[in-house]
């Protein structure tokens, strides 16, 4: 968590150094990791990313799939700089990471077994790789799928799709970004195997796995296309 003074604090499991305190000791009370200058945080399965006010991207924790983006697969127990400047948004999946730069470009690193990085293949990446060069405004990774919005309000996705969580009408994985909705999307969020988005008219839509009623559509049947809630 962040405090209003820009300090970063952490607690909980730390088996891979994901708390960034220089150890692999679990913490049952909050411990300060960075004293100031942090503006955004996100946590994955066993790794963590944060942004500083200078636009630099930092990472720590598990790195078995290259999810830290530091050029290798060695874990880090202390914060390690990934990108020096220009990063505007971070988003962490299970064992992969995505981020946006201030120029609207989308980047990713880490596990890519289902094409969740959208690079056109299923090869893991241990350094940041550019997915799109411009026009991206928001990103939301799930377990092994990714969604993002473009500045024109269109919704796109890639990766694991066995439950229709990409909302493109089938259950086939996608290793390159595909358009799901052409316009009017204002916000997006991805769960493990399901996805939600808001349209600019305030309507809420969902797709994907629904075994616990997580789509909120009144039943437990999965949806492979966006359904209005």
């Amino acid at each position: 968590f962040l405090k209003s003074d820009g300090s970063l604090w952490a607690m909980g499991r730390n088996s891979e150094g994901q708390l960034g305190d220089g150890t692999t000791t679990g913490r049952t009370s909050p411990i300060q990791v960075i004293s100031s200058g942090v503006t955004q945080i996100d946590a994955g399965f066993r790794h963590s990313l944060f942004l500083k006010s200078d636009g630099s991207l930092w990472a720590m924790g598990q790195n078995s799939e290259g999810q830290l983006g530091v050029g290798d697969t060695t874990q880090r127990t202390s914060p390690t700089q990934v990108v020096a400047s220009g990063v505007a948004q971070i988003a962490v999946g299970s064992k992969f990471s995505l981020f946006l730069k201030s120029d609207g470009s989308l980047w990713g690193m880490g596990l890519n077994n289902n094409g969740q990085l959208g690079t056109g293949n299923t090869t893991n990446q241990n350094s940041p790789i550019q997915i799109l060069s411009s026009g991206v405004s928001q990103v939301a990774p799930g377990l092994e799928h990714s969604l993002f919005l473009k500045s024109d309000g269109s919704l796109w996705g890639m990766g694991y799709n066995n439950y229709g969580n990409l909302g493109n009408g089938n259950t086939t994985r996608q290793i390159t970004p595909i358009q799901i909705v052409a316009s009017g999307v204002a916000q997006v969020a991805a769960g493990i195997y399901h996805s939600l988005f808001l349209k600019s008219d305030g309507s809420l839509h969902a797709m994907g796995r629904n075994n616990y009623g997580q789509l909120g559509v009144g039943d437990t049947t999965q949806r492979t296309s966006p359904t209005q809630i």
Side-chain angles (χ1 to χ4, degrees):
F1 63 90
L2 296 183
K3 285 191 173 183
S4 53
D5 62 3
S7 60
L8 171 61
W9 298 71
M11 58 271 189
R13 185 169 183 164
N14 196 28
S15 57
E16 308 284 343
Q18 57 264 50
L19 300 186
D21 66 345
T23 76
T24 55
T25 303
R27 305 291 181 180
T28 59
S29 298
I31 184 170
Q32 188 180 88
V33 182
I34 300 289
S35 61
S36 64
V38 179
T39 59
Q40 192 181 141
I41 57 175
D42 204 5
F45 178 56
R46 292 180 183 173
H47 76 290
S48 309
L49 301 182
F50 64 88
L51 292 186
K52 285 190 173 182
S53 53
D54 61 4
S56 61
L57 171 62
W58 299 72
M60 57 262 195
Q62 187 182 57
N63 194 32
S64 57
E65 315 300 329
Q67 57 264 51
L68 300 186
V70 292
D72 57 44
T73 55
T74 303
Q75 73 178 36
R76 300 295 198 276
T77 60
S78 297
T80 301
Q81 189 178 92
V82 183
V83 179
S85 63
V87 179
Q89 184 186 335
I90 55 174
V92 176
S94 176
K95 292 184 178 182
F96 68 102
S97 308
L98 301 172
F99 63 89
L100 300 183
K101 286 191 173 182
S102 52
D103 61 5
S105 60
L106 174 61
W107 300 71
M109 58 261 195
L111 185 68
N112 194 32
N113 59 322
N114 279 295
Q116 55 265 50
L117 298 184
T119 56
N121 58 48
T122 56
T123 303
N124 294 351
Q125 301 290 332
N126 60 27
S127 295
I129 185 169
Q130 189 179 89
I131 302 165
L132 289 177
S133 61
S134 63
V136 181
S137 60
Q138 188 185 144
V139 62
L143 184 71
E144 292 183 358
H145 75 289
S146 305
L147 301 176
F148 63 88
L149 296 185
K150 286 190 174 181
S151 52
D152 61 5
S154 60
L155 173 62
W156 299 69
M158 59 263 194
Y160 186 89
N161 194 32
N162 284 24
Y163 296 97
N165 34 301
L166 295 183
N168 65 329
N170 61 53
T171 56
T172 303
R173 75 177 183 183
Q174 302 291 329
I175 62 173
T176 55
I178 56 161
Q179 189 179 89
I180 302 164
V181 179
S183 63
V185 179
Q187 187 178 339
V188 62
I192 295 177
Y193 298 126
H194 74 291
S195 309
L196 302 174
F197 63 90
L198 297 181
K199 286 194 168 181
S200 52
D201 61 7
S203 61
L204 174 62
H205 302 253
M207 57 264 195
R209 194 174 190 183
N210 194 33
N211 56 324
Y212 293 107
Q214 54 264 53
L215 301 187
V217 292
D219 57 43
T220 56
T221 303
Q222 73 180 37
R223 301 294 199 278
T224 60
S225 296
T227 300
Q228 183 171 295
I229 304 170

